[in-house]
Amino acid sequence: MHPWIGAGDDDRRRILTELGLDSIDELFESIPPEVCIDRLPMADGRDENAVRSELVSMALDNLSPECVPSFLGAGVYRHVQPSVVDAVLSRAEFFTSYTPYQPEISQGTLQVIFEFQTLMCQLTGMEVSNASLYDGATAMVEAVLFAHRLKRGKLDRVVLAETVHPMYRRVLATYADPAGLDVVVVPPGDDGRVSTDALREAAGDNLSCCIAIQSPNFLGIIEDLPSVADTAHSTGALAVQVVTEGVSLGLLAGGGEHGFDVVCGEAQSFGIAPGYGGPHLGFFTCREKNLRQMPGRLAGETIDDNGQRAFCLTLSTREQHIRRAKATSNICTNQGLMALAATIWLESIGGYGLRELATACLSRTEDLKRRIIDSGGPWQIAYPSSPTFNEFLLTGPGAGVELARRLADEGVLAGVAAHRWGGSWPDGLLVAVTEQNTAGDMEAFIDALGGIS
Amino acid sequence: MKRRAIRHEPLFFERNPDRLRRQGFQLPPLDVPAVDPDSVLPGAALRDQIADYPDITEMEVVQHFHRLSQLNYAVDEGLYPLGSCTMKYNPRLNEQTARLVGLAAAHPLQPVEQVQGSLRLIWELEQALMAITGMAGVTLQPAAGAHGELAGILMIRKALETRGDAREEVLVPDSAHGTNPATAAFAGYRAVEVASGPDGTVDMEALDRLMTDHVAAIMLTVPNTLGVFEHHIVEISKLVHDRGGLIYLDGANLNAFAGRALPGLMGADAMHINLHKTFATPHGGGGPGAGPVVVSETLLPHLPVPRVVKIGDRFTLVENDDASIGAMRGFYGNFLILVRALTYIRGLGSDGLREMSDVAVLYANLVRHRLAGAYNLPYDSPTLHEVVFDDARQTINDVHNTDIAKRLLDYGFHPPTMSFPLIVHGALMIEPAESVSPDEVEAFCDAMLAIAKEAEENPELVRSAPHDTPVSRVDEVRAARKLKVRWTADNSS
Amino acid sequence: MNVPADLKYGRTHEWARVEGDVIVVGITHYAQDQLGEVVYVELPDVGAAATVAEELGTLESVKAVSEFTSPLDGEVVEVNERLEDEPNLVNEDPYGDGWLAKVKGSIEDSELLDADGYTAMIEAEST
């Protein structure tokens, strides 16, 4: 017997009697004996205290960025977590419900998705959004495949700025091979941005289905969005913007305002715990004319029998359970609960609130940069004249990995090693600053730099 | 049936229509100099204040979502007998462990010395899943079942390429879930359909004909989507292996035999597991899930990177391996979902997992027994954790499976899976899962029997259902014809 | 049984009508009834090649997608652009305003059925 299993010993006996059976084994006779076992080679179940104890010991074995000054970014950012987010998320009606295939009893979930889709459009300046994808990396992959489909599969080249998150590029490589795509990576120029000339040259003339850049890019630098979009279109390619820091859209114009065809990426910044890498929240927005090629689920507005407004999943015919081999993607389960978290977060922070939050990130980042410059020593902002939002590359004596380790010994999680996945830029630390970093954190950072100089 | 008034809840964008300044959350005070964005950033990069993105107070946020939540049916409310979805109870202990700060706040790019707890958790779950399936290796990276399928098929592809035997086709039974052929196509294969025999399992003659040296793999679900176990599984594996192909198992239905049988003994080369099905991680209105893939020795070298490796009593990450298929997504997996699954597995243990599948199968057979008099059973074979009926007896009165589903809503239940598998016209796929009490299963059967009677005596009542839901039957045709997928300021309903 | 006598029919439920050197193509009343309410029609490009028995386009309902095939070899010279905003025409007037495409070519020596042959075929299917 077990609290999580609905039938106790007596119940089982009673049901077997009703079914005219002597033993439950009779119900499993269709399984050939050569694949059967008597018991699993593992321990029996344990009570809540024992289980919790084991998990707590694992948690205590981690050094939490909540406990020391932390400036880690590189695609995962530490932002405010309003208490309402988890409170609402914990409502059983939201987290124990399923995909809203029966709209009559899923209006809560469906309306939330509709609100999420709208918010993502507002933030990116795009016309339509889907209901979420797995994460930023797979969202970028889906964008590339989307562009390839829109070009009828005739343009196999994909131009990718090297300053798109290296981890995302690595995931694309996994998918590019079976899809027959030829990925060309373009390094940044001396200013840490990708040059449109280099993009144009790499794209060729009507050979590439898309040009994808990230802004702010992996080095934290803001790219010149209008020029990139124009360049892409002039070569016959679609323009894709990847975003890894969603809060940047509170202050920076999204690609939708500058002619991009897709703005996609990671929305973990909107109230989702870093959680050692997941679950996070991929997002995908595009132009309405291309809606039918968009991957993932989609909630639409309609009415019910009584003329009342209602929402339902729509355009399901794009998806795997109907198109099967011709589906736009094979995605099924998505990140619904994370989209809910982001929606609660965005609605809690509010429009003006988001701008204030983004400005706070910018102010704090500029403050840390200034302190570093003022502190002298061997520390350099690698691209001092290039505009950044809340992340920048810091160089110093030694490899990024070493710097991170020595600064951690001084009690500060100072940043992510810039060469963790290689890269044509200088080695050093990617330092991210958010509204969560206090003046005290900045002082600790400078002290730690001094400590290892 | 009790009711209470539920207010129609406006959209967030319809609140605070005059866009008055309200505060939903107080930011930490700015203790550094405020910067004017125009002074440090190029003007062209900046945006205007977003129009029509209102600010509301904390209580407004709470009330908005509270009211929306009341419009949802959920597992915690009652039976959710969706076939192949395994809608089981989400233990609250899992929610506690997933929120432990040490686990929830860990940044995935922290040096390994700082996150030994997370790495150990990943490793422990890997060991547990290998033990549960009898397989040689595993990856926890995929974010969902479909994602796991893709990882599995890509590993198969790489294994065959490595041995210089690249092939173009993948065999998929006609009863398969749509993700199977979609995955095969995504991976560059041609999906070839294998017919089911009269008992619902793979037709061995058809398989013999189709299994050539063009076939890389067969994708099988066990038990299949009819709830019927592929009793020829060992012969199928042998046939396919003998002709140079590999076996992919769709583990969506693992709840039927966990603790009793091992995919490792069935000849599986890769099998994905849906943690959000068998291992009780929450469905969350559509995700997140997790789709780990267990593999045989053959596919071991091709597992995705990064991988967790144990050296002595410490853990580290291996980032690169030329034999690997690469990375399927960012980072290591839906980690906080993995936390929940490990909690669940520790709580149930070896004895509990076996009991889990025992009761899942018992309940499904109870439903089959009670409903077989009123609903048509298209296949006679023994079924395990789910059973598929169809609406053949009800269509005589022009009542279809969708009508039955909508009428069930009036009885306070979520309907079963409709219209799947595709080989059964008008299907009703029922999987009760093991969590609910027997009373709940019996109540569901009572409701289904009542509806069968209504279909005969008062079919219009069934056809016009639902009557007791927050909205009545939703016009999905209109939603597709007049696409409206976001709110806009100039919109009207 | 809505099967106009003056048309020719394919085994996959397309109809064909001769208009000079162009063949007008659509799906039959029976087909639209099976499909359910059409929400979207994917039509071929003007100028595209049409090949007999191969997919010319698709018809989507809420729950399913069906291809419609060409009853002849030829070139697509016109498509019914009204269907973009009014896909319901396929259901409401399958032989008239719900036409799908016009293909330049001939059905002279084709294996298409006449009205009686098609009627017999669908009657057999229904039993």
Side-chain angles (χ1 to χ4, degrees):
Chain A
M1 282 202 305
H2 196 281
W4 301 337
I5 296 176
D9 297 334
D10 294 340
D11 295 304
R12 292 210 294 280
R13 268 192 287 277
R14 195 190 271 186
I15 297 171
L16 283 171
T17 306
E18 188 175 338
L19 297 180
L21 299 171
D22 293 317
S23 147
I24 199 147
D25 294 337
E26 293 175 55
L27 290 173
F28 289 94
E29 282 165 2
S30 57
I31 304 184
E34 57 265 40
V35 306
C36 289
I37 47 162
D38 288 330
R39 61 167 280 129
L40 288 173
M42 60 199 297
D44 279 348
R46 287 183 272 151
D47 66 284
E48 283 204 2
N49 286 342
V51 176
R52 189 185 295 113
S53 218
E54 181 186 355
L55 273 291
V56 165
S57 83
M58 288 171 173
L60 292 175
D61 245 355
N62 281 354
L63 171 64
S64 173
E66 300 290 312
C67 302
V68 295
S70 173
F71 298 85
L72 301 174
V76 175
Y77 301 92
R78 196 168 63 100
H79 286 287
V80 285
Q81 298 274 44
S83 47
V84 291
V85 175
D86 199 43
V88 171
L89 217 58
S90 302
R91 293 196 71 86
E93 298 91 335
F94 283 128
F95 90 90
T96 76
S97 65
Y98 188 60
T99 308
Y101 289 128
Q102 297 289 346
E104 293 82 10
I105 41 120
S106 318
Q107 288 300 297
T109 297
L110 287 161
Q111 184 168 327
V112 168
I113 296 173
F114 191 81
E115 292 181 5
F116 173 77
Q117 288 167 188
T118 306
L119 285 163
M120 294 317 300
C121 290
Q122 290 179 329
L123 291 168
T124 59
M126 275 301 187
E127 293 160 16
V128 293
S129 167
N130 75 7
S132 73
L133 294 172
Y134 302 137
D135 67 356
T138 51
M140 184 187 90
V141 172
E142 294 283 3
V144 167
L145 296 172
F146 168 86
H148 192 244
R149 274 197 301 279
L150 281 175
K151 297 293 180 183
R152 315 260 175 162
K154 299 200 165 92
L155 304 180
D156 289 335
R157 189 183 295 180
V158 173
V159 174
L160 207 49
E162 193 192 3
T163 45
V164 168
H165 199 302
M167 202 176 53
Y168 289 19
R169 289 192 282 108
R170 179 168 71 166
V171 175
L172 179 63
T174 306
Y175 285 75
D177 188 30
L181 299 175
D182 168 36
V183 180
V184 176
V185 177
V186 178
D190 294 332
D191 62 348
R193 310 214 279 183
V194 69
S195 96
T196 48
D197 287 341
L199 288 177
R200 186 175 292 111
E201 202 189 308
D205 187 23
N206 269 299
L207 295 171
S208 305
C209 58
C210 69
I211 290 181
I213 56 121
Q214 177 179 317
S215 185
N217 70 22
F218 182 68
L219 306 172
I221 298 167
I222 300 166
E223 298 280 5
D224 181 355
L225 294 184
S227 316
V228 172
D230 287 341
T231 303
H233 296 145
S234 75
T235 70
L238 264 49
V240 173
Q241 179 195 5
V242 177
V243 174
T244 60
E245 168 52 295
V247 167
S248 67
L249 296 169
L251 203 52
L252 304 177
E257 292 183 46
H258 292 301
F260 275 71
D261 300 284
V262 176
V263 180
C264 66
E266 179 59 65
Q268 171 270 328
S269 291
F270 301 152
I272 291 160
Y276 201 58
H280 288 167
L281 177 59
F283 74 88
F284 187 106
T285 64
C286 67
R287 301 282 168 202
E288 183 158 10
K289 64 178 177 175
N290 298 322
L291 183 54
R292 299 204 102 80
Q293 287 301 324
M294 191 173 73
R297 293 194 182 125
L298 191 60
E301 185 182 316
T302 180
I303 55 176
D304 73 359
D305 266 358
N306 295 318
Q308 181 174 286
R309 178 172 70 190
F311 301 95
C312 65
L313 291 180
T314 193
L315 289 198
S316 310
T317 46
R318 300 158 304 124
E319 297 179 58
Q320 49 68 31
H321 63 283
I322 293 178
R323 286 314 294 270
R324 297 171 73 88
K326 293 188 184 171
T328 49
S329 165
N330 84 331
I331 204 172
C332 186
T333 298
N334 59 357
Q335 300 290 98
L337 195 64
M338 305 346 301
L340 169 61
T343 308
I344 303 163
W345 190 91
L346 286 166
E347 295 181 10
S348 168
I349 299 289
Y352 279 100
L354 183 63
R355 193 180 185 85
E356 201 187 317
L357 196 156
T359 311
C361 291
L362 180 70
S363 300
R364 292 181 184 280
T365 308
E366 294 302 306
D367 181 63
L368 182 60
K369 279 188 188 176
R370 185 194 50 78
R371 290 181 197 236
I372 290 169
I373 293 166
D374 288 350
S375 74
W379 307 100
Q380 300 286 333
I381 312 287
Y383 301 97
S385 348
S386 300
T388 57
F389 173 61
N390 72 343
E391 198 161 14
F392 58 91
L393 177 59
L394 176 71
T395 58
V401 169
E402 259 314 294
L403 295 177
R405 185 163 294 131
R406 291 169 68 204
L407 289 165
D409 289 340
E410 296 287 317
V412 175
L413 298 180
V416 175
H419 274 191
R420 188 190 172 109
W421 297 277
S424 67
W425 41 80
D427 194 7
L429 282 182
L430 285 174
V431 180
V433 187
T434 72
E435 74 289 349
Q436 296 284 63
N437 294 107
T438 61
D441 285 352
M442 316 294 190
E443 281 156 24
F445 190 101
I446 300 299
D447 285 345
L449 287 186
I452 74 169
S453 291
Chain B
M1 195 73 54
K2 288 212 170 122
R3 287 192 233 192
R4 67 177 177 87
I6 292 178
R7 275 189 265 170
H8 172 73
E9 179 58 20
L11 286 164
F12 166 67
F13 314 96
E14 291 164 335
R15 284 180 163 272
N16 189 3
D18 297 329
R19 309 303 184 217
L20 306 172
R21 293 298 297 271
R22 292 181 192 159
Q23 191 179 51
F25 182 74
Q26 195 168 43
L27 289 177
L30 198 62
D31 52 1
V32 301
V35 163
D36 176 7
D38 281 298
S39 67
V40 295
L41 297 178
L46 293 174
R47 71 170 313 145
D48 293 330
Q49 176 60 40
I50 303 173
D52 289 307
Y53 175 179
D55 293 67
I56 58 177
T57 61
E58 184 171 330
M59 173 138 225
E60 283 187 87
V61 172
V62 169
Q63 285 185 331
H64 177 63
F65 288 101
H66 183 105
R67 293 193 200 123
L68 288 179
S69 76
Q70 300 302 290
L71 304 174
N72 275 2
Y73 186 87
V75 163
D76 275 12
E77 181 165 342
L79 190 66
Y80 222 114
L82 285 172
S84 272
C85 295
T86 313
M87 304 295 294
K88 60 172 74 182
Y89 172 59
N90 308 124
R92 289 313 194 269
L93 179 62
N94 301 357
E95 296 309 306
Q96 280 191 358
T97 55
R99 286 168 169 79
L100 292 169
V101 171
L103 298 176
H107 190 291
L109 299 173
Q110 283 180 256
V112 294
E113 312 85 74
Q114 296 179 6
V115 287
Q116 287 293 300
S118 300
L119 295 174
R120 173 152 60 101
L121 194 148
I122 290 173
W123 190 86
E124 290 288 351
L125 180 60
E126 287 177 347
Q127 300 304 305
L129 292 178
M130 287 193 281
I132 290 168
T133 55
M135 299 288 280
V138 60
T139 172
L140 302 182
Q141 239 193 52
H147 206 205
E149 274 177 42
L150 184 60
I153 292 296
L154 288 177
M155 284 190 268
I156 285 172
R157 185 171 173 271
K158 184 115 193 186
L160 292 173
E161 262 173 23
T162 306
R163 76 172 191 220
D165 187 15
R167 300 176 173 203
E168 324 84 58
E169 292 175 0
V170 165
L171 301 181
V172 182
D174 50 13
S175 58
H177 193 268
T179 53
N180 292 171
T183 299
F186 215 63
Y189 285 112
R190 192 166 57 244
V192 174
E193 214 172 68
V194 186
S196 299
D199 69 348
T201 59
V202 164
D203 183 339
M204 291 303 289
E205 266 179 35
L207 178 63
D208 189 30
R209 254 184 297 113
L210 293 168
M211 184 58 217
T212 64
D213 58 11
H214 289 283
V215 174
I218 183 169
M219 296 177 82
L220 287 174
T221 309
V222 276
N224 68 18
T225 54
L226 298 164
V228 177
F229 198 90
E230 293 283 352
H231 44 93
H232 298 299
I233 185 73
V234 175
E235 290 96 315
I236 293 172
S237 292
K238 184 161 194 318
L239 192 155
V240 173
H241 280 146
D242 283 349
R243 298 184 194 177
L246 295 169
I247 311 293
Y248 183 86
L249 291 189
D250 179 325
N253 291 332
L254 181 58
N255 212 48
F257 64 84
R260 278 216 177 231
L262 295 179
L265 296 173
M266 296 174 202
D269 289 291
M271 183 179 90
H272 80 266
I273 298 169
N274 301 73
L275 295 186
H276 47 292
K277 296 185 182 184
T278 319
F279 296 101
T281 72
H283 281 91
V293 183
V294 284
V295 298
S296 63
E297 294 280 350
T298 310
L299 297 184
L300 212 45
H302 309 298
L303 285 169
V305 281
R307 296 177 199 150
V308 174
V309 165
K310 186 169 193 254
I311 302 174
D313 61 357
R314 306 293 288 164
F315 299 92
T316 188
L317 286 169
V318 166
E319 293 273 351
N320 297 299
D321 184 334
D322 285 339
S324 164
I325 56 171
M328 294 297 296
R329 43 114 15 103
F331 309 117
Y332 323 110
N334 275 351
F335 180 79
L336 294 179
I337 299 297
L338 307 180
V339 174
R340 291 171 169 91
L342 183 65
T343 307
Y344 184 71
I345 290 170
R346 290 289 197 249
L348 281 184
S350 174
D351 52 343
L353 287 169
R354 192 177 171 110
E355 228 179 279
M356 169 187 89
S357 50
D358 281 359
V359 175
V361 168
L362 189 63
Y363 276 171
N365 280 278
L366 175 61
V367 170
R368 179 179 172 152
H369 170 77
R370 288 210 53 203
L371 298 187
Y375 290 90
N376 183 52
L377 205 56
Y379 291 88
D380 209 4
S381 322
T383 46
L384 289 171
H385 70 312
E386 64 189 3
V387 57
V388 180
F389 291 97
D390 67 27
D391 57 6
R393 285 191 215 173
Q394 286 72 34
T395 51
I396 297 167
N397 296 304
D398 200 25
V399 170
H400 297 265
N401 58 348
T402 32
D403 303 315
I404 297 165
K406 301 302 182 191
R407 185 64 183 138
L408 256 174
L409 299 177
D410 291 335
Y411 281 83
F413 290 98
H414 193 283
T417 300
M418 310 304 294
S419 308
F420 175 74
L422 297 178
I423 51 171
V424 176
H425 189 71
L428 286 152
M429 189 199 280
I430 302 172
E431 179 187 356
E434 75 286 356
S435 310
V436 296
S437 69
D439 310 319
E440 182 72 4
V441 180
E442 300 277 15
F444 168 75
C445 294
D446 292 340
M448 287 291 285
L449 292 173
I451 294 171
K453 198 148 179 284
E454 286 171 1
E456 280 172 39
E457 295 171 6
N458 189 0
E460 186 47 35
L461 181 64
V462 184
R463 279 196 296 267
S464 56
H467 310 286
D468 282 333
T469 47
V471 298
S472 61
R473 206 179 280 219
V474 171
D475 190 346
E476 299 187 42
V477 170
R478 182 193 164 109
R481 282 186 181 162
K482 291 185 185 344
L483 281 171
K484 190 147 176 288
V485 294
R486 60 166 294 184
W487 176 91
T488 47
D490 58 359
N491 86 182
S492 42
S493 284
Chain C
M1 191 72 61
N2 193 346
V3 182
D6 60 326
L7 304 176
K8 292 285 187 226
Y9 298 88
R11 293 190 176 277
T12 41
H13 308 289
E14 290 80 29
W15 56 260
R17 179 172 67 237
V18 180
E19 263 182 22
D21 61 349
V22 157
I23 309 298
V24 186
V25 177
I27 61 160
T28 63
H29 176 88
Y30 177 80
Q32 66 77 31
D33 190 50
Q34 290 290 298
L35 192 60
E37 301 198 55
V38 177
V39 302
Y40 185 72
V41 184
E42 192 183 339
L43 295 166
D45 292 330
V46 170
T51 309
V52 72
E54 285 192 12
E55 181 184 312
L56 202 53
T58 61
L59 297 149
E60 287 181 30
S61 68
V62 169
K63 296 287 189 222
V65 181
S66 268
E67 16 173 272
F68 60 91
T69 59
S70 178
L72 72 156
D73 288 324
E75 183 193 324
V76 177
V77 295
E78 203 185 326
V79 297
N80 186 352
E81 305 204 342
R82 278 185 75 189
L83 296 179
E84 180 158 350
D85 289 326
E86 297 172 89
N88 44 298
L89 291 173
V90 176
N91 298 109
E92 289 162 23
D93 191 13
Y95 301 111
D97 288 334
W99 65 275
L100 297 171
K102 296 187 183 176
V103 180
K104 193 172 158 95
S106 166
I107 54 170
E108 278 289 314
D109 300 311
S110 72
E111 293 183 1
L112 296 175
L113 304 165
D114 64 8
D116 289 336
Y118 180 67
T119 306
M121 188 189 102
I122 54 183
E123 271 169 3
E125 251 181 50
S126 322
T127 47

